[in-house]
Amino acid sequence: MRIELELARRLSLRQRAAAGRRHSRLAPGVVIAIAGTALSLLVMVLAVSIATGFKTEIRQKVTGFEQQITVSQAEGYGAERVNRGIRLTDSLRTIIADAAPGSHASLRIHQPAMIKTDTDFEGIVLQGITDGSDTYRFIARQTAEGDTMPHFAYGHEGNPIVISRTTASALGLATGETVAVHFFIGGNLLTRKMRVAAVYDTHFGEYDKLMAFCPIDILQRLNHTDSLTGTSIDINGLDTDMIDEATASLRAGLFEHLQTTGSTESYRIDNVNTTGAIYFNWLELLDTNIVVILSLMGCVTGFTLISSLLIIILQRVRTIGLLKALGAADSQIRRVFVMMACRIVAAGLIAGNLVAVAIIVLQNRLHIIPLNPEAYYLNYVPMAECFGTIALIDVAVAIVSVALLLIPSHLISRISPAETMRYE
């Protein structure tokens, strides 16, 4: 093996220098093989990175609005629903903690409302949330440049409201302005003056058009409820793979609690895998696209390398004949040329990785490549910095490439030393 390695190292991949040139250069076939390998790897890495980043961003946005698990009263929706809402008591917190270890629960109130200006109006669903909740942190990350998410803790100043850029544009509102918000509760029309404290933009048109946010205590006072009552309980902090299991465990725990206490209450339990199914099913289609891309690029790499090795063998026919005349076995010569081709693979992998990592880092920092948010829910192409996955792709490409290089190397066994003397 040492002899084959030394021969592979000494045999040049460069072509002879033309007359008048001092230095030789890589043979065109070698350049094409390196470029083809690098380009194929680049496409594979970017495809996986974009798919992973896209799925992560969309899942975070869906979870930011829908919550991992939601517990509410099983009664129908209506203007009075919050008055018959769910109470986040200590016993219910214990049940949630036992069913979903590591999670955290927070109250929420969903309140239909209408924002009205002097010239226009928009219907919204006002979300009363608590300071520091997952939804609060999510919206805080989506606020427009220059805006700061106000504190939603009890004892906050005034009646702050956070509206979407879509709503703000439709009504001509800006941060700091005061607006009238109307509620229909218990057959009565109630109006509150609220201050636009911030404007957010998630690029999720269906949600941005409807959702606005305010401190939960504003809606609790409006509906004459205490601090433990809300429309629903949001449960977050779970690993994605544990959501369905925790949901089933919570259903069983609540059912056992109702039987034990003899309570007549009933609960409705949803999770994001159900409420956001339309988005997650769409994201699953990306996996099929990735498999197709990886397969096609693998074929391109394979054909390029096989062609390259054939060219190298044909260029070294006399060398092969000489080695055979000196007593070298076919298997030894095959290994020499496979090792030479592996140098091409290594050069292609290095070049492809360098370009791919540079593109990923620049895109994540500068958002060079834009997207239409109305179609993709994002205004730029997200690229996950999944370097572990990139390493796995490199290993897979290297293994498959070496395996494919064994196919053309068998041509060496058909070359006769006598015939090589007449080969031009």
Side-chain angles (χ1 to χ4, degrees):
M1 183 65 75
R2 292 178 61 184
I3 295 175
E4 293 95 318
L5 185 60
E6 183 65 19
L7 284 172
R9 187 178 67 83
R10 288 182 175 273
L11 288 174
S12 177
L13 294 173
R14 295 177 177 271
Q15 63 183 9
R16 292 181 180 179
R21 290 186 178 179
R22 292 184 178 181
H23 304 289
S24 61
R25 57 184 180 183
L26 288 175
V30 174
V31 174
I32 292 173
I34 293 175
T37 303
L39 182 59
S40 297
L41 180 69
L42 174 64
V43 173
M44 292 181 190
V45 170
L46 292 184
V48 172
S49 176
I50 291 172
T52 304
F54 195 79
K55 292 169 72 173
T56 300
E57 289 290 331
I58 296 300
R59 177 172 283 276
Q60 287 179 350
K61 290 192 176 187
V62 173
T63 305
F65 282 113
E66 295 290 350
Q67 314 308 310
Q68 290 184 326
I69 302 177
T70 304
V71 183
S72 59
Q73 287 285 355
E75 298 166 322
Y77 291 89
E80 298 290 337
R81 184 182 180 207
V82 71
N83 291 327
R84 308 190 302 267
I86 190 169
R87 289 176 57 80
L88 185 55
T89 59
D90 291 339
S91 60
L92 197 50
R93 285 186 180 275
T94 301
I95 295 171
I96 293 172
D98 292 340
S103 65
H104 46 267
S106 60
L107 274 175
R108 176 192 296 260
I109 291 181
H110 306 263
Q111 186 68 58
M114 183 179 68
I115 299 181
K116 188 177 183 305
T117 63
D118 294 337
T119 59
D120 212 341
F121 64 91
E122 284 284 323
I124 61 170
V125 177
L126 189 57
Q127 307 273 338
I129 57 177
T130 57
D131 193 87
S133 65
D134 284 67
T135 301
Y136 177 89
R137 293 196 297 269
F138 167 70
I139 295 299
R141 293 193 299 269
Q142 309 297 327
T143 53
E145 186 176 353
D147 284 1
T148 302
M149 189 74 171
H151 292 294
F152 279 9
Y154 288 93
H156 56 82
E157 183 178 352
N159 291 333
I161 184 174
V162 178
I163 61 175
S164 69
R165 188 185 298 276
T166 303
T167 302
S169 299
L171 297 177
L173 294 173
T175 303
E177 294 187 20
T178 301
V179 64
V181 182
H182 303 283
F183 305 90
F184 188 75
I185 299 176
N188 299 314
L189 180 63
L190 305 179
T191 302
R192 294 291 184 273
K193 291 288 187 180
M194 305 189 77
R195 177 180 57 86
V196 179
V199 174
Y200 75 90
D201 188 2
T202 68
H203 304 294
F204 246 45
E206 293 87 345
Y207 291 100
D208 287 2
K209 187 175 181 180
L210 286 176
M211 300 298 181
F213 301 88
C214 73
I216 190 172
D217 64 308
I218 293 177
L219 299 184
Q220 287 172 334
R221 292 195 303 270
L222 194 68
N223 289 278
H224 304 292
T225 60
D226 58 30
S227 61
L228 297 179
T229 303
T231 301
S232 63
I233 298 173
D234 299 337
I235 302 171
N236 292 289
L238 297 167
D239 291 336
T240 302
D241 297 336
M242 298 298 295
I243 293 176
D244 288 331
E245 181 181 343
T247 302
S249 180
L250 183 57
R251 285 196 180 103
L254 288 174
F255 181 73
E256 181 180 352
H257 171 72
L258 294 177
Q259 283 189 321
T260 303
T261 60
S263 174
T264 58
E265 292 184 347
S266 58
Y267 298 104
R268 174 177 176 173
I269 304 174
D270 294 314
N271 66 35
V272 69
N273 293 333
T274 301
T275 57
I278 185 173
Y279 298 104
F280 298 147
N281 291 338
W282 173 52
L283 292 177
E284 287 179 1
L285 296 176
L286 293 177
D287 295 335
T288 303
N289 296 337
I290 294 303
V291 171
V292 172
I293 291 173
L294 294 180
S295 300
L296 290 175
M297 291 301 101
C299 292
V300 170
T301 303
F303 289 133
T304 303
L305 291 175
I306 289 174
S307 302
S308 175
L309 185 54
L310 287 174
I311 292 173
I312 294 174
I313 291 173
L314 293 175
Q315 289 176 339
R316 298 289 191 278
V317 166
R318 289 194 173 187
T319 303
I320 294 170
L322 179 59
L323 291 173
K324 285 190 174 186
L326 293 173
D330 288 342
S331 59
Q332 289 180 306
I333 301 174
R334 282 201 302 268
R335 284 196 290 269
V336 170
F337 281 88
V338 169
M339 289 177 183
M340 290 178 66
C342 285
R343 291 160 58 185
I344 297 175
V345 175
L349 290 178
I350 292 172
N353 279 318
L354 289 176
V355 175
V357 171
I359 291 175
I360 291 172
V361 172
L362 288 175
Q363 175 64 14
N364 286 338
R365 303 297 184 273
L366 304 177
H367 299 170
I368 299 171
I369 307 174
L371 279 178
N372 180 5
E374 294 183 2
Y376 297 100
Y377 307 112
L378 293 167
N379 62 346
Y380 70 96
V381 176
M383 295 186 181
E385 297 179 0
C386 47
F387 299 118
T389 304
I390 293 175
L392 291 176
I393 294 175
D394 289 342
V395 172
V397 169
I399 293 174
V400 172
S401 298
V402 172
L404 289 173
L405 288 172
L406 297 176
I407 299 174
S409 68
H410 286 281
L411 178 64
I412 294 171
S413 62
R414 298 186 180 184
I415 298 176
S416 170
E419 294 177 355
T420 60
M421 301 306 295
R422 299 189 298 270
Y423 183 82
E424 293 294 338

